[in-house]
Amino acid sequence: VWSWGSGGMCKLGHGDDQDQQLPKKLETLAGQRVVVVSAGGYHSFALTAGGGVWSWGLGGEGNSGRGSGRLGHGDDQEQLLPKK
């Protein structure tokens, strides 16, 4: 999986919030057989062939104004790298 563009809010998955002008490989997912990726404005998800779900990006600040845990890890933490 490769990502590029605006890196704000941890959404690119490279471990920082730096913008990427060129496609850059997500090293965390190297060796995983990713079959589907869904990228949003604040977070992204990847599904592996074995059924694993990985997510990264902004973890909180949902529609209600409180943390929403939108990444599925049971907390509202930002994820700089894809997390299973």
Side-chain angles (χ1 to χ4, degrees):
V1 175
W2 300 71
S3 67
W4 63 97
S6 173
M9 295 181 260
C10 318
K11 63 188 168 198
L12 293 181
H14 298 293
D16 57 34
D17 61 358
Q18 299 293 312
D19 293 347
Q20 294 294 325
Q21 300 301 315
L22 299 171
K24 183 176 177 181
K25 187 176 189 177
L26 273 73
E27 296 298 332
T28 305
L29 296 175
Q32 298 291 325
R33 186 166 171 241
V34 175
V35 294
V36 176
V37 174
S38 178
Y42 301 104
H43 49 271
S44 297
F45 291 84
L47 176 66
T48 64
V53 178
W54 296 73
S55 62
W56 61 97
L58 188 63
E61 299 181 17
N63 293 334
S64 66
R66 298 183 302 269
S68 63
R70 67 177 85 177
L71 296 178
H73 301 294
D75 58 35
D76 297 332
Q77 300 297 309
E78 294 178 351
Q79 294 297 323
L80 290 167
L81 296 167
K83 181 178 176 181
K84 192 171 181 182

